[in-house]
Amino acid sequence: KQEVTQIPAALSVPEGENLVLNCSFTDSAIYNLQWFRQDPGKGLTSLLLIQSSQREQTSGRLNASLDKSSGRSTLYIAASQPGDSATYLCAVTTSGSRLTFGEGTQLTVNP
Amino acid sequence: DGGITQSPKYLFRKEGQNVTLSCEQNLNHDAMYWYRQDPGQGLRLIYYSQIVNDFQKGDIAEGYSVSREKKESFPLTVTSAQKNPTAFYLCASSIIVENQPQHFGDGTRLSIL
């Protein structure tokens, strides 16, 4: 059974800092990996999707990498801003388009 | 605007009562999903459907039921058999093409009176 783990569970940083969020998964037979953002009491917003054949994806200040063989992904946020404060969720797609989620990293960026 | 609409935003259930959560999408997506999120945890799949009049159980289907009579709609019923229904429920949809993201609604928070 696929299991997804995210470290750390919570992170508090000063504005302007570069930071890395980690995600690991137990079964490397995935179609893709997604990073989502969730604001309090809201749904999920897809940030980046990395196909299993890709190594990384970039969108603005966000960069996500994927090492499928080792079962790891990182989300790099450059020059963090208070508006980046949210919970970040990692999820992998396995058979039948099913997503398996990690528990998330709660990020606070302090002005 | 295209998107996924969940209603109501907040819902309260009495003991022994069934309640139904609504999910409607106008994205013309074939697949729809229901997830449950407990505090400080990730999402767990309850049910999903890839075509009208067909659906499959996810990881935590016990105490829940769904229907898919229309492509646009995928309502979730939380039955009295679900003994711990208090949670945040999220609906999602996607097209059935490899490597396409799921799009999420804003969720329904269900509480027990």
Side-chain angles (χ1 to χ4, degrees):
Chain A
K1 181 185 175 186
Q2 179 73 266
E3 293 183 2
V4 179
T5 304
Q6 291 188 244
I7 295 173
L11 184 61
S12 181
V13 300
E15 182 177 4
E17 194 162 294
N18 301 327
L19 56 98
V20 174
L21 308 181
N22 297 290
C23 172
S24 62
F25 47 95
T26 56
D27 185 351
S28 61
I30 64 170
Y31 291 107
N32 59 54
L33 183 144
Q34 285 185 253
W35 283 94
F36 292 90
R37 170 185 173 136
Q38 185 177 30
D39 293 294
K42 296 289 188 180
L44 276 63
T45 301
S46 181
L47 297 173
L48 291 164
L49 183 150
I50 312 175
Q51 299 179 30
S52 62
S53 59
Q54 296 177 320
R55 297 284 292 182
E56 66 178 332
Q57 280 284 342
T58 298
S59 176
R61 294 182 293 107
L62 305 179
N63 175 276
S65 67
L66 174 64
D67 184 342
K68 202 174 86 160
S69 61
S70 68
R72 297 181 185 276
S73 175
T74 61
L75 178 66
Y76 176 82
I77 302 177
S80 59
Q81 303 171 358
D84 294 331
S85 298
T87 296
Y88 291 81
L89 292 157
C90 163
V92 296
T93 301
T94 54
S95 61
S97 70
R98 297 177 55 150
L99 286 174
T100 302
F101 283 85
E103 295 184 349
T105 293
Q106 186 173 355
L107 174 65
T108 302
V109 181
N110 301 300
Chain B
D1 288 346
I4 301 175
T5 301
Q6 290 188 241
S7 63
K9 188 172 178 67
Y10 300 96
L11 187 58
F12 298 90
R13 195 191 88 168
K14 295 179 181 179
E15 294 287 345
Q17 185 182 46
N18 294 350
V19 292
T20 297
L21 284 61
S22 171
C23 178
E24 304 276 335
Q25 54 98 0
N26 60 5
L27 300 168
N28 200 32
H29 287 171
D30 289 306
M32 297 186 74
Y33 312 81
W34 274 107
Y35 295 91
R36 169 181 172 138
Q37 186 177 32
D38 292 286
Q41 297 189 28
L43 281 65
R44 292 182 289 168
L45 182 64
I46 304 172
Y47 269 99
Y48 66 106
S49 167
Q50 295 186 315
I51 193 169
V52 173
N53 292 323
D54 188 45
F55 47 82
Q56 287 76 41
K57 292 182 179 180
D59 298 320
I60 55 166
E62 186 174 350
Y64 300 97
S65 66
V66 293
S67 63
R68 187 86 186 278
E69 297 177 1
K70 299 186 299 181
K71 185 177 184 179
E72 302 79 16
S73 179
F74 191 40
L76 173 74
T77 297
V78 184
T79 74
S80 57
Q82 172 50 244
K83 297 307 178 186
N84 184 25
T86 298
F88 189 49
Y89 291 86
L90 286 159
C91 177
S93 70
S94 71
I95 61 174
I96 305 178
V97 173
E98 192 174 299
N99 293 312
Q100 292 300 312
Q102 292 185 14
H103 298 259
F104 284 79
D106 280 343
T108 292
R109 187 167 301 279
L110 175 62
S111 302
I112 298 300
L113 286 177

